[in-house]
Amino acid sequence: MALPALAVSPASGQLTGEGMDGFYRDGRRALSRCELRVAGDEPLVVQGRLNGGDRARFLGTIRRAGERGPDPDIRVERLRSADGTERITFHSSCARPVRLPVEIRLGTDLAELGAIAVGLSGQERKATVHGSGLRWSAPGVHAVVSAWPAPQDALASPGLLRWELDLPPGGRRTIELHTALGHDNGGPAGDRRPGTVFIPGPRTGPGVTRTRSARPPRPWTAARLECDDHRADVLMAASLDDLHGLVMRDPAAAADIYVAGGFPWRCGLAPAEALWAARMLLPLGTRLAAGTLRALARSQQAAPGADFGRIPGPLRDAGPHAPPSCTGIEATLLFPTVLAEARRWGLPEQETERLLPVAERCLRWLRAVTDPPGGSRGGYVPDPAPDGPYRCETQAHAHRAALLGADLLEAVGSSDATALRDWAADLRTRFRRDFWWEDSAAGRPAALLTADGRPVPHLGSTTVHLLDTGLLGGGALAPGLLDATQTDQLARALESPAMDSGWGLRGMGTRESGYNPFGHRSGAVRVHDTAIAAAGLAAAGHERAAGALTRGILDAADSFAYRLPEMYAGEQRTAGGVPVPHPAACRPAAVAAAGAVHILVALAGLRPDVPAGTVSLRPLATAPLGALQLTGLSVAEQPFAVRVSRLGMGMVETAAEGLQLGS
């Protein structure tokens, strides 16, 4: 992926026009078929793998008539990039010259990604010969594939390009294909220059100069992990690579960048997921957070009324025990949290001041929605309807937003800070009473309260947000909604076999009614929730449970070639078993990739307070992955590096001048 471009293919590298195969640009399939044949046969593909988040390599061999022995003399390498470029190189090990007849069959339906994702792709369009390749057209849009060197023969009806390649002894020849999507009424969304055709220029040889939108640079530092368990190093690098493939520019302001939700369902801005990813990547700099906050600030409701200050977002299915939740409510409550924590990590003061009014409006919405005229349960945030239900994770988001928002307001001398802290204290008191469900195992938090105040007590991964309290000044963590005894009880419930699958935290406990190992909110393992749980358990002193979840995610990542899906089946881990992907999971997914980074960086226990000029370390004393070194982090917009020994002792190796190590 290199959004807004991406490519989907099987391990063979052959695009057959089936399923989701193809090159895509701006949400439309520019090419669905790209089948290579040499001397009438397909190459025997011996390896197909990702070389990075935006490129893949396929290696095959070709058997020729009269070839003696089992050793192939011709091998073919296909290097495919998400931007629509493919290089096909033929390598010869023959002692004599070889002539290879090569043909590539091309085709496309120019269908929309959303339709293809749900199985509604269209019929292939008729091609016409165009320059050194082929062209397909649909109302308002066209696709072009150009080739270098130009083919000796181009047949429009079957969509064929043909070459006769002469390979000298030990030599090689390369064919380059360049796939483009053009709009007859201008360029793609965000770049409406008339006549623009987005084709990557040839990397070798002559060719027409073409233009394409520049990919955004990585909006984070070149962080690197070196760990006794080298799989963690690979997971960190692969996750950041996938996140870069999801980086997009805001069409309204190209300088503002954020990460899309994931492929194939959320290839655009998903407000809550973009904020979660930005928050989890704060140890790598504040640039992504600033761009994401600015982009979402433009969508905030500004008209007077009940929704004033709210950030819009779609509904999200919440499983069998609750109606859909609203991602806009989650994003509204996350906004002040991300801004406050970004300031602790070193967001420049002028950027904080610029975004502070938006955060204040989010907090005004919070206070208004929890004290509605004639409301049945004033003080709790309803989600999604004004009369509830009242979800435990939504209250956790609101409580954290109030405390961290008060921290922000206090820094600028606002008198509203005290009122927010008083509101949060009142919420804690009522929550510990209303949301606690007593059972034979000493109790657990209810997943939600119904509109009439009745608790729904099923145990699920949404409760992990009660452990995610947020970062205050001096490296302190904000108080949680649960008291110490309740927190310990929740930790014991989360580390039980009913919740910990061995590959990560299930979305719902196995003993709950409605449990389904493939239920995306009722049993499947979600990487995002598991990462929050591991970091929260570590901060609460339950390091053994945090370490078990961390190792489970790492083991799962190994099975998924270090590209973690958004979720996978919550089946119990067995000896020799592997996790099973969920058929509807995004992969890559922003919250999964960012969650992998978060769970690994959390091992160092970094808690900065740049305005106070301090940073504290609280690494896991159990060192679940052994010794580790994190370099290329960013605190106060300056390089930061830390080392943790096998005994769990932390040491800062690189830091900004004047930054002091706190207690």
Side-chain angles (χ1 to χ4, degrees), residues 212-236:
R212 65 184 293 265
S213 59
R215 282 287 300 147
R218 295 193 179 213
W220 48 74
T221 57
R224 183 180 177 186
L225 173 64
E226 293 183 29
C227 184
D228 280 350
D229 191 332
H230 296 300
R231 298 177 304 165
D233 311 354
V234 180
L235 177 58
M236 178 94 157

Side-chain angles (χ1 to χ4, degrees), residues 34 104 140-141 145 170 198 211 218 230 243 253 262 276 293 315 340 349 386 392 442-443 501 517 524 533 551 573 660:
C34 183
I104 301 177
V141 67
V145 173
F198 287 80
T211 62
R218 295 193 179 213
H230 296 300
L243 284 163
W276 275 115
L293 291 169
L315 294 179
E349 285 299 326
C392 74
S501 70
R551 289 189 295 270
R573 181 175 181 172
Q660 300 294 317

Side-chain angles (χ1 to χ4, degrees), residues 63 67-72:
R63 290 196 61 83
E67 193 173 86
R68 297 193 304 172
D71 302 331

Side-chain angles (χ1 to χ4, degrees), residues 318-340:
H321 294 290
S325 63
C326 180
T327 59
I329 291 175
E330 186 175 353
T332 304
L333 300 174
L334 271 173
F335 193 102
T337 293
V338 174
L339 179 59

